[in-house]
Amino acid sequence: MTQPIKLIIDTDPGIDDTMAIFYAAGAPDIDLIGLTSIFGNVTTDQATRNALRLLEWAGLHKVPVAQGAAKPRALPAFPPSHNVHGDEGFGTIAAATPQGKMSDESAAAFLVRMAREHKGELVICPIGPLTNIAEALDLDPEFANNVSRIVLMGGSLEEGGNISPHAEANIYHDPHAAERVFASGAKIVMVGLDVTHRILCTAEDFDRLEENAPRLGGLINEMSRFYLHFYTTVGKHDGCSLHDPAAVIACTHPHLFETRAVPIAVSCLGETSGATLLSNDTRASTDVLMRVDAEAVKRQFFKVMNTLD
Ligand code: BDR
Ligand code: CA
């Protein structure tokens, strides 16, 4: 096998974030070198606690967690998405204090240092708002060149939004940060609603996962009930989207997706705030995933998840 990729996940855990992090923990082609926390589904403090808990559940006690920004770059803070992910971010699973401690470094400082130490090799996978990534770009003018690529879950080109008619939630929660990231010149892969809305999982899928991987699969199964219920409240009865796992899988299995290279701009104003749009500025182009072999992504997801525990 080729060398595993070095990966940092920037995350607001979050039920689908949990699935993505457990996937990364079990995938033989991923070397998870850290998590950075961000607000979104939960507050940043809660995201840090949840990230530590997830690593402890997964037996990755040595993987560091660096705490990120507490609020968006220019907008006031949004309330957490308790209706989608539950009060603590884990559906109905109760709060608990993690044993481990977060690192002394900020998320942005950790990202910058890791990108320097693993120049040309580090893949960053943001699965929450992009505030920490924008901060890392501000901190180090070489950051965009030092990373191998940024494979982000967010945005939508033709699919419309999920938090507003125009915007996907991660971009909506900090459009100014997203604008900074898309214009940075880093190699960027956008894993947005155009593909994640095609990758759906049902309660039966998660029941089967629990049978195969009782402990971590059982946790996911319990969390997924809350997540699936939210989807039914917005009229979606055919399953929940594997948003964040799709981004992690796109890091190692790009051949399961079809890509369009286009420059992306972000609306930061008015009712379209958070929309990802085609830009006239051709200096920075983004690889936008437009089509997916959804069955193959699901197969890959459960193949790894079934090996957990
Ligand atoms: C994104 O928003 C969050 O609720 C999910 O965790 C995912 O990262 C989907 O729009
Ligand atoms: Ca997320």
mmCIF file of all heavy atoms in Angstrom, residues 12 14-17 41 81 84-85 127-128 153-154 162 168-170 173 193 196 227 243-244, ligand 1:
data_model
loop_
_atom_site.group_PDB
_atom_site.id
_atom_site.type_symbol
_atom_site.label_atom_id
_atom_site.label_comp_id
_atom_site.label_asym_id
_atom_site.label_seq_id
_atom_site.Cartn_x
_atom_site.Cartn_y
_atom_site.Cartn_z
ATOM 1 N N ASP A 12 -16.668 20.594 13.851
ATOM 2 C CA ASP A 12 -17.649 21.102 14.826
ATOM 3 C C ASP A 12 -18.549 19.944 15.277
ATOM 4 O O ASP A 12 -19.737 19.941 14.999
ATOM 5 C CB ASP A 12 -18.482 22.241 14.205
ATOM 6 C CG ASP A 12 -19.234 21.832 12.932
ATOM 7 O OD1 ASP A 12 -18.845 20.837 12.278
ATOM 8 O OD2 ASP A 12 -20.242 22.499 12.585
ATOM 9 N N GLY A 14 -21.121 17.453 16.590
ATOM 10 C CA GLY A 14 -21.667 17.072 15.309
ATOM 11 C C GLY A 14 -21.764 15.563 15.015
ATOM 12 O O GLY A 14 -20.828 14.830 15.240
ATOM 13 N N ILE A 15 -22.990 15.171 14.570
ATOM 14 C CA ILE A 15 -23.228 13.751 14.324
ATOM 15 C C ILE A 15 -22.504 13.268 13.066
ATOM 16 O O ILE A 15 -21.824 12.241 13.103
ATOM 17 C CB ILE A 15 -24.750 13.459 14.262
ATOM 18 C CG1 ILE A 15 -25.388 13.750 15.634
ATOM 19 C CG2 ILE A 15 -25.018 11.997 13.851
ATOM 20 C CD1 ILE A 15 -26.907 13.683 15.688
ATOM 21 N N ASP A 16 -22.624 13.988 11.954
ATOM 22 C CA ASP A 16 -21.909 13.499 10.761
ATOM 23 C C ASP A 16 -20.408 13.751 10.897
ATOM 24 O O ASP A 16 -19.593 13.021 10.319
ATOM 25 C CB ASP A 16 -22.492 14.066 9.459
ATOM 26 C CG ASP A 16 -22.422 15.565 9.360
ATOM 27 O OD1 ASP A 16 -22.556 16.249 10.400
ATOM 28 O OD2 ASP A 16 -22.236 16.082 8.244
ATOM 29 N N ASP A 17 -20.017 14.744 11.714
ATOM 30 C CA ASP A 17 -18.589 14.907 12.040
ATOM 31 C C ASP A 17 -18.085 13.673 12.779
ATOM 32 O O ASP A 17 -16.970 13.184 12.529
ATOM 33 C CB ASP A 17 -18.357 16.134 12.939
ATOM 34 C CG ASP A 17 -18.848 17.428 12.334
ATOM 35 O OD1 ASP A 17 -20.077 17.596 12.219
ATOM 36 O OD2 ASP A 17 -18.002 18.265 11.967
ATOM 37 N N ASN A 41 -22.133 23.416 14.551
ATOM 38 C CA ASN A 41 -23.169 22.556 15.131
ATOM 39 C C ASN A 41 -23.281 22.780 16.633
ATOM 40 O O ASN A 41 -24.349 22.607 17.225
ATOM 41 C CB ASN A 41 -22.840 21.087 14.876
ATOM 42 C CG ASN A 41 -22.817 20.749 13.398
ATOM 43 O OD1 ASN A 41 -23.578 21.319 12.626
ATOM 44 N ND2 ASN A 41 -21.948 19.832 13.006
ATOM 45 N N SER A 81 -26.596 24.428 16.307
ATOM 46 C CA SER A 81 -27.697 23.744 15.605
ATOM 47 C C SER A 81 -28.216 22.573 16.449
ATOM 48 O O SER A 81 -28.111 21.410 16.050
ATOM 49 C CB SER A 81 -27.195 23.221 14.255
ATOM 50 O OG SER A 81 -26.552 24.231 13.545
ATOM 51 N N VAL A 84 -30.535 19.942 14.890
ATOM 52 C CA VAL A 84 -29.974 18.950 13.950
ATOM 53 C C VAL A 84 -29.117 17.925 14.684
ATOM 54 O O VAL A 84 -29.153 16.733 14.366
ATOM 55 C CB VAL A 84 -29.121 19.640 12.857
ATOM 56 C CG1 VAL A 84 -28.743 18.643 11.762
ATOM 57 C CG2 VAL A 84 -29.814 20.852 12.265
ATOM 58 N N HIS A 85 -28.320 18.393 15.673
ATOM 59 C CA HIS A 85 -27.282 17.529 16.268
ATOM 60 C C HIS A 85 -27.471 17.258 17.757
ATOM 61 O O HIS A 85 -26.647 16.570 18.363
ATOM 62 C CB HIS A 85 -25.901 18.146 16.017
ATOM 63 C CG HIS A 85 -25.551 18.227 14.562
ATOM 64 N ND1 HIS A 85 -24.929 17.202 13.888
ATOM 65 C CD2 HIS A 85 -25.788 19.190 13.641
ATOM 66 C CE1 HIS A 85 -24.773 17.540 12.613
ATOM 67 N NE2 HIS A 85 -25.291 18.741 12.433
ATOM 68 N N ILE A 127 -14.568 20.404 8.077
ATOM 69 C CA ILE A 127 -15.952 19.935 7.972
ATOM 70 C C ILE A 127 -16.872 20.804 8.841
ATOM 71 O O ILE A 127 -17.905 20.354 9.311
ATOM 72 C CB ILE A 127 -16.066 18.418 8.283
ATOM 73 C CG1 ILE A 127 -15.471 18.069 9.655
ATOM 74 C CG2 ILE A 127 -15.410 17.597 7.190
ATOM 75 C CD1 ILE A 127 -15.653 16.589 10.054
ATOM 76 N N GLY A 128 -16.433 22.036 9.048
ATOM 77 C CA GLY A 128 -17.233 23.049 9.738
ATOM 78 C C GLY A 128 -16.976 24.382 9.063
ATOM 79 O O GLY A 128 -16.343 24.438 7.992
ATOM 80 N N MET A 153 -15.783 20.233 3.330
ATOM 81 C CA MET A 153 -17.211 19.985 3.190
ATOM 82 C C MET A 153 -17.897 21.342 3.324
ATOM 83 O O MET A 153 -17.840 21.991 4.372
ATOM 84 C CB MET A 153 -17.734 19.041 4.287
ATOM 85 C CG MET A 153 -19.148 18.510 4.009
ATOM 86 S SD MET A 153 -20.430 19.706 4.327
ATOM 87 C CE MET A 153 -21.402 19.643 2.840
ATOM 88 N N GLY A 154 -18.544 21.753 2.237
ATOM 89 C CA GLY A 154 -19.260 23.022 2.288
ATOM 90 C C GLY A 154 -19.644 23.457 0.900
ATOM 91 O O GLY A 154 -19.108 22.979 -0.091
ATOM 92 N N ASN A 162 -28.958 24.393 2.234
ATOM 93 C CA ASN A 162 -29.670 23.583 3.230
ATOM 94 C C ASN A 162 -30.031 24.393 4.474
ATOM 95 O O ASN A 162 -30.949 24.035 5.184
ATOM 96 C CB ASN A 162 -28.891 22.299 3.600
ATOM 97 C CG ASN A 162 -27.530 22.575 4.208
ATOM 98 O OD1 ASN A 162 -27.075 23.718 4.280
ATOM 99 N ND2 ASN A 162 -26.855 21.524 4.645
ATOM 100 N N GLU A 168 -25.234 26.691 1.966
ATOM 101 C CA GLU A 168 -24.933 25.494 2.769
ATOM 102 C C GLU A 168 -24.455 25.987 4.145
ATOM 103 O O GLU A 168 -23.802 27.034 4.246
ATOM 104 C CB GLU A 168 -23.848 24.677 2.030
ATOM 105 C CG GLU A 168 -23.440 23.387 2.708
ATOM 106 C CD GLU A 168 -22.499 23.613 3.856
ATOM 107 O OE1 GLU A 168 -21.681 24.563 3.786
ATOM 108 O OE2 GLU A 168 -22.572 22.858 4.831
ATOM 109 N N ALA A 169 -24.725 25.199 5.196
ATOM 110 C CA ALA A 169 -24.529 25.675 6.573
ATOM 111 C C ALA A 169 -23.083 26.093 6.893
ATOM 112 O O ALA A 169 -22.863 27.145 7.508
ATOM 113 C CB ALA A 169 -24.993 24.600 7.561
ATOM 114 N N ASN A 170 -22.095 25.298 6.516
ATOM 115 C CA ASN A 170 -20.719 25.623 6.921
ATOM 116 C C ASN A 170 -20.260 26.953 6.324
ATOM 117 O O ASN A 170 -19.549 27.723 6.984
ATOM 118 C CB ASN A 170 -19.748 24.510 6.497
ATOM 119 C CG ASN A 170 -19.920 23.254 7.327
ATOM 120 O OD1 ASN A 170 -20.475 23.297 8.422
ATOM 121 N ND2 ASN A 170 -19.454 22.124 6.807
ATOM 122 N N HIS A 173 -22.193 29.995 7.976
ATOM 123 C CA HIS A 173 -21.772 30.379 9.327
ATOM 124 C C HIS A 173 -20.532 31.277 9.344
ATOM 125 O O HIS A 173 -20.250 31.893 10.380
ATOM 126 C CB HIS A 173 -21.547 29.130 10.186
ATOM 127 C CG HIS A 173 -22.827 28.534 10.678
ATOM 128 N ND1 HIS A 173 -23.100 27.185 10.643
ATOM 129 C CD2 HIS A 173 -23.939 29.103 11.194
ATOM 130 C CE1 HIS A 173 -24.314 26.967 11.135
ATOM 131 N NE2 HIS A 173 -24.842 28.112 11.463
ATOM 132 N N LEU A 193 -23.045 20.236 -1.370
ATOM 133 C CA LEU A 193 -24.353 19.560 -1.406
ATOM 134 C C LEU A 193 -24.634 18.906 -2.751
ATOM 135 O O LEU A 193 -25.462 17.996 -2.825
ATOM 136 C CB LEU A 193 -25.460 20.563 -1.075
ATOM 137 C CG LEU A 193 -25.339 21.277 0.277
ATOM 138 C CD1 LEU A 193 -26.512 22.251 0.472
ATOM 139 C CD2 LEU A 193 -25.277 20.286 1.433
ATOM 140 N N THR A 196 -23.122 15.615 -1.659
ATOM 141 C CA THR A 196 -23.485 14.993 -0.363
ATOM 142 C C THR A 196 -24.989 14.715 -0.277
ATOM 143 O O THR A 196 -25.397 13.795 0.432
ATOM 144 C CB THR A 196 -23.021 15.835 0.856
ATOM 145 O OG1 THR A 196 -23.704 17.082 0.859
ATOM 146 C CG2 THR A 196 -21.528 16.049 0.835
ATOM 147 N N TYR A 227 -30.476 12.376 14.195
ATOM 148 C CA TYR A 227 -30.143 13.018 12.909
ATOM 149 C C TYR A 227 -31.193 12.671 11.853
ATOM 150 O O TYR A 227 -31.686 13.544 11.135
ATOM 151 C CB TYR A 227 -28.763 12.491 12.508
ATOM 152 C CG TYR A 227 -28.010 13.285 11.472
ATOM 153 C CD1 TYR A 227 -27.892 14.665 11.553
ATOM 154 C CD2 TYR A 227 -27.348 12.623 10.425
ATOM 155 C CE1 TYR A 227 -27.158 15.365 10.609
ATOM 156 C CE2 TYR A 227 -26.609 13.321 9.488
ATOM 157 C CZ TYR A 227 -26.522 14.688 9.588
ATOM 158 O OH TYR A 227 -25.784 15.382 8.665
ATOM 159 N N HIS A 243 -22.673 13.981 4.857
ATOM 160 C CA HIS A 243 -21.914 15.169 4.420
ATOM 161 C C HIS A 243 -20.411 15.042 4.754
ATOM 162 O O HIS A 243 -19.554 15.058 3.872
ATOM 163 C CB HIS A 243 -22.429 16.418 5.135
ATOM 164 C CG HIS A 243 -23.836 16.798 4.846
ATOM 165 N ND1 HIS A 243 -24.257 17.244 3.614
ATOM 166 C CD2 HIS A 243 -24.930 16.830 5.643
ATOM 167 C CE1 HIS A 243 -25.541 17.536 3.675
ATOM 168 N NE2 HIS A 243 -25.981 17.292 4.878
ATOM 169 N N ASP A 244 -20.118 14.999 6.045
ATOM 170 C CA ASP A 244 -18.708 15.099 6.460
ATOM 171 C C ASP A 244 -17.881 13.856 6.111
ATOM 172 O O ASP A 244 -16.727 13.988 5.665
ATOM 173 C CB ASP A 244 -18.630 15.424 7.960
ATOM 174 C CG ASP A 244 -19.151 16.836 8.255
ATOM 175 O OD1 ASP A 244 -19.261 17.636 7.307
ATOM 176 O OD2 ASP A 244 -19.443 17.132 9.421
HETATM 177 C C1 BDR B 1 -22.635 20.583 7.234
HETATM 178 O O1 BDR B 1 -23.253 21.349 8.275
HETATM 179 C C2 BDR B 1 -23.189 20.654 9.498
HETATM 180 O O2 BDR B 1 -24.432 20.624 10.128
HETATM 181 C C3 BDR B 1 -22.734 19.262 9.184
HETATM 182 O O3 BDR B 1 -21.935 18.735 10.225
HETATM 183 C C4 BDR B 1 -21.961 19.401 7.900
HETATM 184 O O4 BDR B 1 -20.606 19.723 8.149
HETATM 185 C C5 BDR B 1 -23.685 20.188 6.213
HETATM 186 O O5 BDR B 1 -24.235 21.325 5.617
#
